[in-house]
Amino acid sequence: MNRFLEILCCLIAGTIALPFFLAGCVIVLFSVGRPLFFGQRRAGCNGRVFRIWKLRTMSDTRDQSGALLPDSERQTKTTKLLRRVRLDEMPQLVIILRGDMALVGPRPLLPETIEEFGDNGRVRCTVRPGLTGWAQVSGNTALSNDEKLKLDLWYVAHRSLSLDLKILFETIMVALAGEHKRPDRIQAADNWLDSRKETPA
């Protein structure tokens, strides 16, 4: 997807989503309180570190020893809905306009996680991280980290305008119908990775 089309899509999506985003801010305020936003360092294209922002959908509730409770216990029904329809990700449209992220690409991860991936992490970071990606429309939370990495690497090697548009369309469908694991896509990524290993240098 070229930069002009990406910016145009961001402006249209931001305009449409703005009333829902403002409603989401109110939901967060009354569900989990302040601050409204969650920020964290993430690795971008070529490993360049930037700060990502989301609507905060989890409280800071801790157990008796002071450790944070599991994610599922720190969300409310309404903030879970915000996550499902991706409204919590809307602040990232500004980051896309700034150029640190893309509409479509592998989701931005912690720099330490990218380091742990080794060479695969460097390949994954040859493109800008995305608001949504191939792994997110192929199972997302139902996938293991290894499966997500394989799908991300497959995307980097096969990305195109038609694939990006397909992912954007499927992102809307996932928000409406929920996440469903796609074993066929995981198998295709596995087969592609195996074929790369078998190809002589």
Side-chain angles (χ1 to χ4, degrees):
M1 184 179 297
N2 66 51
R3 185 69 176 143
F4 173 79
L5 182 56
E6 183 175 74
I7 291 173
L8 181 62
C9 289
C10 277
L11 293 175
I12 293 172
T15 302
I16 294 171
L18 183 58
F20 302 100
F21 174 71
L22 293 176
C25 289
V26 174
I27 288 172
V28 170
L29 181 62
F30 286 97
S31 294
V32 295
R34 296 177 184 271
L36 293 180
F37 299 100
F38 165 79
Q40 193 175 56
R41 293 168 64 254
R42 298 290 174 94
C45 187
N46 297 319
R48 180 175 172 272
V49 176
F50 68 99
R51 197 162 188 84
I52 196 174
W53 293 96
K54 300 181 179 184
L55 268 181
R56 196 166 70 96
T57 56
M58 289 186 282
S59 70
D60 292 326
T61 310
R62 299 172 183 269
D63 60 22
Q64 292 180 344
S65 65
L68 284 170
L69 294 176
D71 291 358
S72 60
E73 295 181 35
R74 293 189 289 127
Q75 298 178 59
T76 67
K77 290 181 179 179
T78 48
T79 59
K80 284 180 182 178
L81 178 61
L82 291 180
R83 289 171 69 94
R84 174 179 163 175
V85 299
R86 307 287 177 90
L87 268 180
D88 62 317
E89 309 281 3
M90 287 300 101
Q92 291 161 45
L93 290 176
V94 176
I95 302 174
I96 295 170
L97 292 174
R98 195 174 64 196
D100 287 326
M101 286 180 61
L103 263 179
V104 180
R107 285 294 293 161
L109 300 177
L110 294 169
E112 309 89 80
T113 304
I114 295 297
E115 280 296 318
E116 291 172 4
F117 288 158
D119 288 339
N120 284 336
R122 285 183 280 278
V123 171
R124 191 183 185 278
C125 283
T126 56
V127 301
R128 282 180 297 148
L131 179 68
T132 185
W134 193 231
Q136 281 62 55
V137 297
S138 301
N140 198 21
T141 57
L143 302 173
S144 67
N145 289 335
D146 184 57
E147 289 169 334
K148 288 180 183 178
L149 178 59
K150 290 175 181 177
L151 289 165
D152 288 339
L153 293 173
W154 184 94
Y155 167 80
V156 170
H158 296 86
R159 66 196 181 105
S160 65
L161 175 59
S162 59
L163 179 58
D164 282 1
L165 293 177
K166 176 184 175 70
I167 291 171
L168 288 175
F169 174 76
E170 289 194 11
T171 298
I172 296 171
M173 294 298 101
V174 167
L176 295 174
E179 296 171 347
H180 300 283
K181 190 170 182 176
R182 291 293 302 269
D184 56 322
R185 294 179 179 178
I186 299 166
Q187 187 61 56
D190 267 328
N191 294 341
W192 172 74
L193 285 168
D194 288 342
S195 69
R196 286 185 63 212
K197 294 174 185 176
E198 294 168 4
T199 302

